[in-house]
Amino acid sequence: MLGLGNNLAGGTGVTSWSPSSLSSLLHWYRFDTGITQDETPDVTLWEDQKGNNDLTATGVSAVSPGYSGGAVVFNAPADIMTFDSPLELGKFSFYIRLKSDALEGDFLALEDGGGDFFKIHSTNAGVTVIRTKITSRQDYTINSAPSPTTKFNIGSERDGNGDIMMYIDGSAATLDTTNAASDGNVDISDTWDLATLGASAATCTYYEVVICNDALSAPDRALLNTYLNSI
């Protein structure tokens, strides 16, 4: 077994601030840190740098992600990594430093057996939206969509009032009210239940994942975006 990682703050080029500075930080899956490969090589483990909720995969190539330069690569719809303990998020912030080859139909995180999800979706009109489901589906239009195969930061947040916001590279996406179910609010008593990462339609490369148990302040959101941009 080959363990790959870098536990130094300088591994991402940022030393003055990191997600560990967030008081609400719950789980942190860090670029080029705590990643284990088997001999195939497939990624079998991505260690949680904050809590003890590691991500694991079976090591069977057809259902396990690969590795590329410090990142975890999901290159088939069956590729997933599973949280040791499924998430049940009331208030939250969920951010991924990501690269997608297509920006359409990419599931980023899923509840076991379906149900709740976080995904990038392309409509018939060619509009790119961030789509999430927490009991009801919420759609947010990306005002300036990133180009395929370029790195970007994607995030979803819900505050204590149940208000949901989506962000691309630190900028808020726009609620799409053409979906009747989307009103931008789901009470925090309806938890966002996620069990796996991956299952994307096209190749998605995950550089870092940051999960908090509250919405972020505007200053913290800006700091996180700057940090992720350095990866």
Side-chain angles (χ1 to χ4, degrees):
M1 303 288 284
L2 175 64
L4 298 174
N6 182 356
N7 288 312
L8 298 176
T12 62
V14 172
T15 58
S16 59
W17 191 94
S18 79
S20 63
S21 300
L22 296 169
S23 61
S24 60
L25 183 63
L26 190 63
H27 305 298
W28 180 18
Y29 307 93
R30 192 173 184 182
F31 173 71
D32 204 17
T33 302
I35 298 173
T36 300
Q37 296 174 255
D38 63 16
E39 64 278 0
T40 308
D42 295 306
V43 174
T44 58
L45 175 67
W46 199 358
E47 295 178 12
D48 185 358
Q49 300 302 306
K50 167 59 177 178
N52 57 1
N53 197 3
D54 296 340
L55 286 159
T56 59
T58 63
V60 176
S61 294
V63 294
S64 300
Y67 175 89
S68 178
V72 177
V73 182
F74 298 85
N75 58 12
D79 284 356
I80 63 169
M81 296 199 79
T82 301
F83 292 102
D84 283 347
S85 299
L87 306 179
E88 296 180 357
L89 301 172
K91 296 183 294 181
F92 64 79
S93 299
F94 193 115
Y95 280 85
I96 306 172
R97 177 69 165 166
L98 185 72
K99 181 175 70 176
S100 167
D101 282 5
L103 292 170
E104 57 180 35
D106 289 332
F107 281 104
L108 305 178
L110 277 167
E111 183 179 8
D112 189 22
D116 290 354
F117 59 75
F118 185 27
K119 72 179 295 191
I120 305 169
H121 189 80
S122 180
T123 67
N124 291 334
V127 177
T128 303
V129 300
I130 312 172
R131 178 172 288 177
T132 190
K133 185 177 179 185
I134 311 171
T135 304
S136 61
R137 197 185 87 199
Q138 307 291 318
D139 289 359
Y140 287 74
T141 302
I142 299 175
N143 302 315
S144 181
S147 300
T149 73
T150 62
K151 296 178 184 178
F152 62 97
N153 308 322
I154 185 169
S156 179
E157 299 187 24
R158 179 168 60 172
D159 65 18
N161 296 320
D163 293 328
I164 300 166
M165 284 300 302
M166 305 288 191
Y167 294 91
I168 290 287
D169 290 330
S171 297
T174 302
L175 180 67
D176 179 7
T177 55
T178 60
N179 170 28
S182 296
D183 64 3
N185 184 280
V186 178
D187 192 273
I188 62 171
S189 61
D190 286 326
T191 58
W192 200 25
D193 301 330
L194 301 171
T196 61
L197 296 185
S200 54
T203 297
C204 275
T205 302
Y206 289 52
Y207 295 88
E208 194 140 342
V209 181
V210 176
I211 304 170
C212 300
N213 60 9
D214 204 347
L216 299 181
S217 66
D220 278 345
R221 188 178 302 115
L223 286 165
L224 177 60
N225 190 65
T226 298
Y227 166 83
L228 292 173
N229 281 344
S230 72
I231 300 171

